[in-house]
């Protein structure tokens, strides 16, 4: 697959054109950012693991009828995906209270949310991805009622499926973020972006050890080992897999800018 020009570079991924205007290449970088870009690092091997984990999850979601952008994985770091216009909203589903929810509303950390909670955030780094309501989405025509209802239903189905998938391998799906896009070819809404330990909170069911990007956000160390554990538990890689040199490499650069 011939790679064309770079169309977009985000914090963790790059999108390249292909000869087909309806398909692009999604490249997974090793870069990690947190706290609206205040904290940055390169975590060797992260892109390779996220590529494999997201491929596994999105192809499983396809099999239960959740349409998404994945066409096929091309190599260690790249996927061929349908070209979409990303809807500028982050859809967040929560099963257990933690993170920004506990800070914002004072809900006790670890509270089990009986009926999964769906939140919307505007995808805007300059504004710090603010929380928005259904009314904001409809008022500013980011989506119409039918489109929003369709995405809400898809988020619930994705949550049900992922919760079961992770529960079966001893992991709690605490919360996650998904993004949707409109296909360039026919404007239909499909799931896009990635689903990986970068975009989910995943805790060991018994010990509640964090196996996701919170290890980076909270300086807990052993980030790659945690992502590898997710891939091993899901049966994507074997314990001996050499995703990166065996010696532990510390994140190369960790910058914390003062506000
Ligand atoms: P919180 O709002 O508690 O920070 O995050 C809720 C969930 O959404 C977490 O699983 C978190 O990883 C994910 N999430 C929210 N915003 C972003 C984002 O901008 N980037 C990534 N990778 N994940 C996000």
């Amino acid at each position: 697959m011939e790679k064309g020009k770079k169309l977009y570079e985000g914090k963790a991924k790059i999108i390249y054109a292909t000869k087909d205007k309806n398909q692009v290449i999604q490249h997974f970088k090793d870069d990690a950012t947190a706290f609206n870009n205040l904290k940055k690092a390169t975590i060797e091997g992260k892109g390779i693991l996220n590529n494999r984990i997201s491929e596994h999850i999105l192809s499983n979601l396809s099999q239960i009828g959740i349409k998404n952008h994945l066409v096929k994985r091309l190599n260690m770091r790249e996927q061929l995906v349908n070209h979409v216009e990303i809807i500028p909203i982050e859809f967040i589903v929560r099963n257990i209270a933690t993170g920004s929810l506990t800070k914002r509303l004072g809900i006790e950390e670890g509270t089990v949310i009986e009926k999964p909670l769906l939140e919307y955030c505007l995808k805007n780094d300059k504004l710090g991805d603010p929380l928005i309501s259904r009314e904001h989405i409809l008022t500013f025509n980011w989506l119409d009622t039918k489109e929003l209802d369709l995405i809400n239903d898809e988020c619930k189905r994705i949550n049900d499926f992922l919760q079961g998938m992770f529960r079966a391998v001893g992991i709690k799906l605490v919360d996650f973020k998904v993004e949707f896009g409109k296909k360039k070819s026919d404007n239909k809404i499909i799931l896009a972006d990635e689903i990986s330990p970068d975009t989910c909170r995943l805790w060991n069911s018994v010990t509640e050890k964090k196996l996701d990007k919170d290890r980076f956000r909270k300086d807990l160390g052993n980030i790659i080992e945690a992502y590898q554990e997710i891939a091993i538990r899901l049966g994507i890689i074997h314990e001996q897999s050499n995703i990166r040199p065996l010696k532990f490499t510390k994140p190369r650069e960790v910058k914390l800018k003062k506000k």
Side-chain angles (χ1 to χ4, degrees), residues 11 90 92 94 98-101 104 119 129 175-177 197-201 213 217:
K11 288 171 269 183
E90 294 183 341
I92 294 172
R94 299 180 186 273
T98 187
S100 70
L101 178 71
R104 210 185 319 122
E119 291 181 334
D129 296 345
D175 58 28
F176 65 92
K177 180 263 305 181
D198 264 9
T199 61
C200 301
R201 285 200 176 94
K213 196 174 162 188
R217 295 187 187 104

Side-chain angles (χ1 to χ4, degrees), residues 123-189:
K123 241 175 94 72
N124 185 322
D125 282 343
K126 277 192 200 142
L127 301 175
D129 296 345
L131 187 72
I132 51 171
S133 69
R134 177 181 175 89
E135 282 64 34
H136 288 111
I137 296 174
L138 300 177
T139 300
F140 300 114
N141 294 315
W142 289 318
L143 290 168
D144 66 28
T145 314
K146 214 172 134 201
E147 292 170 333
L148 183 53
D149 290 344
L150 178 138
I151 294 180
N152 288 350
D153 288 348
E154 295 273 87
C155 285
K156 283 184 198 132
R157 288 191 65 209
I158 295 168
N159 186 48
D160 286 347
F161 179 80
L162 292 187
Q163 255 194 326
M165 185 185 84
F166 281 117
R167 185 187 290 260
V169 296
I171 292 166
K172 282 188 203 174
L173 175 65
V174 174
D175 58 28
F176 65 92
K177 180 263 305 181
V178 276
E179 295 182 21
F180 291 79
K182 290 186 178 172
K183 268 202 284 180
K184 294 276 185 184
S185 56
D186 58 11
N187 220 31
K188 289 217 168 96
I189 291 179

Side-chain angles (χ1 to χ4, degrees), residues 19 25 48 74 76 78 81 83 89 106 117 121 124 126 129 132 134 137 154 159 161 164 212 216 218 238:
K19 278 183 181 154
I25 292 172
I48 296 172
L74 296 171
M76 298 259 279
E78 290 170 335
V81 298
H83 196 187
I89 297 166
L117 174 67
C121 289
N124 185 322
K126 277 192 200 142
D129 296 345
I132 51 171
R134 177 181 175 89
I137 296 174
E154 295 273 87
N159 186 48
F161 179 80
D212 57 64
F216 167 66
K218 294 171 179 276
H238 300 294

